[in-house]
Amino acid sequence: MIEEGLLSLCMIVKNEEKWLQRCLESVKDAVDEIIIVDTGSTDRTKEIAAEYGAAVYDYEWNDSFADARNFGLDKAKGEWILWLDADEEVEPGDGQHLRDVLSREECYFGRIKVVNYYGTFPVTYDRSHIMNQYRLFRNDPKLRFAGEIHEQLDIEALDLTNKSVLVVPVTLHHYGYLEEAVEEKGKKERNLRLLEKALEAEDHDPWLDYHYASELYRSEKMAEAFERVNLSIGSFLKSQKKPPSLLYKLKYSILMAIGSYEGGWPSIELAIKLYPDYVDLHFYKGIILMSMKKFAEALETFEYCLTLDEDHPAYLTMVGTGSFLAWYYIGSCHELMEDLPKAEEAYRKSLELSDTMEQAREALQKLGVLESAADN
């Protein structure tokens, strides 16, 4: 029975003793109940959950993340549900804002900012992608997760015409795709296996092709990833649907990774027409123009990136494409055009915005205007 004014945290876990305490500690004072669905832990995961007063349910894993999440939803009593993964934590001080949705009768979803870190420890905001996600929603039996892997709320099952979304001032930090975390849990192999199984269905969702391409990209199988993401784009177009922006970000990320800049021209212009305010696409365009030795046009493109929103609610954005990374490439353009004073100014601006921007530091050292650490 659903109880008004309550917020339920729903999670699925397996062998998360390294992460779970940090996650629960960050939200324990904001939620009214904790529902933990355990799919076969052999470490202290369930003990840690119990220490936080969680209701722990054993669940036999059937290769479907959506089924496991939906099992947890069926146990929740709260009027609202928050869903998290164990390798996530809410920004200190933000937790109580999760309860903002409880007083908003007109709202159906709560959207929060998720920071997805990449690379290695120690984490830094400058090595992350950001995106706003629906992590809070009303406890409605008609609203369930779909997808064996990379599951998402099936919001198309509802008539959302009169259902509003509240942007909640909460930041969620996700560590699950740091290199160490991926290797520890064998995520690449697991995800590829589950996706290959799901792709056997002839009428599979084109999102599966995108997710498969993403895993191939992370596994550095670039040619296969490029073929698969194009297949996903084609499937959306064939069904007369606009391909989501994530597909184009992945497509050009692959081309940048393999240095196939000519392969991105002029198709990047078509992608930008579909998503004219997506800073990452403009950033990739600038790099392509630089490779074509069109430095003045590239410079103009990177300067335009500075006017766009890095924290756009509709897009997955790489931190820096509208700030320190753009400034670095502005400096590179000026240097290639032999305007060294402007190059120095831009490199310094990049370093001011990100003290971890080693490319800018090295560029300044090359110009002879900054001492290297070895010289100190």
Side-chain angles (χ1 to χ4, degrees):
M1 182 177 178
I2 296 175
E3 299 182 27
E4 293 185 6
L6 297 186
L7 174 61
S8 300
L9 168 63
C10 290
M11 302 176 63
I12 59 174
V13 300
K14 181 182 177 181
N15 292 336
E16 296 288 2
E17 66 178 6
K18 178 178 179 178
W19 301 100
L20 186 58
Q21 181 174 356
R22 179 186 304 190
C23 176
L24 296 179
E25 190 68 26
S26 74
V27 295
K28 65 177 184 179
D29 296 326
V31 300
D32 299 295
E33 71 167 351
I34 301 173
I35 305 295
I36 299 287
V37 176
D38 189 280
T39 63
S41 293
T42 56
D43 62 3
R44 294 189 60 254
T45 294
K46 291 196 282 188
E47 295 175 39
I48 294 169
E51 290 171 3
Y52 283 84
V56 181
Y57 299 91
D58 290 320
Y59 181 82
E60 185 175 351
W61 178 243
N62 66 347
D63 281 350
S64 172
F65 282 89
D67 286 353
R69 287 208 188 273
N70 291 335
F71 177 81
L73 297 187
D74 290 337
K75 305 296 183 183
K77 298 177 183 177
E79 179 186 10
W80 278 83
I81 289 173
L82 164 71
W83 70 275
L84 299 175
D85 287 327
D87 51 20
E88 298 175 328
E89 68 173 326
V90 171
E91 174 82 18
D94 285 1
Q96 286 302 315
H97 288 297
L98 293 167
R99 302 188 66 82
D100 291 354
V101 293
L102 298 175
S103 60
R104 301 292 291 270
E105 293 183 6
E106 78 282 7
C107 288
Y108 210 86
F109 295 97
R111 192 172 64 201
I112 67 177
K113 176 180 176 179
V114 182
V115 182
N116 297 285
Y117 295 96
Y118 61 86
T120 60
F121 287 103
V123 298
T124 169
Y125 185 73
D126 294 346
R127 291 198 305 271
S128 70
H129 290 84
I130 52 178
M131 189 175 192
N132 286 264
Q133 293 184 344
Y134 298 133
R135 290 302 192 98
L136 291 150
F137 58 95
R138 285 192 179 274
N139 191 349
D140 184 331
K142 297 189 296 294
L143 187 56
R144 288 293 180 265
F145 286 90
E148 286 81 1
I149 184 171
H150 296 299
E151 70 286 1
Q152 293 294 327
L153 286 171
D154 185 13
I155 59 176
E156 293 183 3
L158 295 174
D159 177 10
L160 300 179
T161 306
N162 298 313
K163 294 179 171 42
S164 63
V165 178
L166 179 67
V167 178
V168 185
V170 169
T171 297
L172 181 66
H173 302 276
H174 178 222
Y175 308 110
Y177 280 99
L178 288 165
E179 291 177 16
E180 293 91 331
V182 170
E183 292 301 320
E184 281 177 10
K185 304 201 75 173
K187 283 187 176 182
K188 291 177 184 177
E189 296 78 9
R190 178 202 67 189
N191 291 356
L192 285 170
R193 177 181 64 82
L194 293 177
L195 285 164
E196 286 166 359
K197 179 181 176 182
L199 285 166
E200 291 176 0
E202 290 186 11
D203 59 345
H204 65 260
D205 191 324
W207 271 114
L208 285 174
D209 292 302
Y210 162 76
H211 290 308
Y212 191 47
S214 295
E215 295 300 336
L216 291 169
Y217 172 69
R218 279 191 279 264
S219 299
E220 300 183 359
K221 298 178 180 179
M222 298 301 178
E224 296 173 62
F226 188 69
E227 180 181 354
R228 184 63 66 162
V229 74
N230 280 328
L231 180 62
S232 181
I233 290 171
S235 296
F236 275 103
L237 291 172
K238 187 177 180 180
S239 61
Q240 298 185 323
K241 294 181 180 179
K242 180 181 177 181
S245 59
L246 283 170
L247 277 65
Y248 292 107
K249 175 177 173 61
L250 178 58
K251 175 178 179 175
Y252 294 101
S253 294
I254 294 168
L255 291 174
M256 298 301 102
I258 61 179
S260 180
Y261 305 116
E262 68 283 355
W265 189 263
S267 63
I268 187 75
E269 295 278 41
L270 299 175
I272 287 173
K273 283 184 179 179
L274 290 175
Y275 297 102
D277 53 353
Y278 194 175
V279 64
D280 284 33
L281 294 182
H282 289 276
F283 181 76
Y284 294 148
K285 175 185 173 181
I287 294 175
I288 291 169
L289 289 169
M290 278 186 65
S291 75
M292 299 167 64
K293 301 189 185 306
K294 297 183 177 183
F295 304 130
E297 293 177 51
L299 175 61
E300 183 179 348
T301 302
F302 290 124
E303 288 176 339
Y304 184 65
C305 288
L306 297 174
T307 71
L308 295 174
D309 187 0
E310 264 190 15
D311 195 5
H312 195 292
Y315 304 131
L316 175 68
T317 305
M318 181 166 68
V319 171
T321 53
S323 55
F324 62 88
L325 287 173
W327 275 111
Y328 169 74
Y329 279 98
I330 288 170
S332 296
C333 289
H334 282 304
E335 185 175 358
L336 290 165
M337 296 165 68
E338 299 184 352
D339 190 338
L340 300 188
K342 287 187 177 179
E344 177 186 347
E345 181 182 355
Y347 289 142
R348 288 192 182 279
K349 185 65 175 179
S350 175
L351 203 53
E352 286 173 11
L353 293 172
S354 171
D355 60 8
T356 64
M357 188 60 186
E358 290 305 315
Q359 298 102 309
R361 194 184 312 276
E362 291 168 4
L364 288 168
Q365 292 167 357
K366 180 183 173 184
L367 292 178
V369 294
L370 185 70
E371 291 185 353
S372 66
D375 294 331
N376 293 334

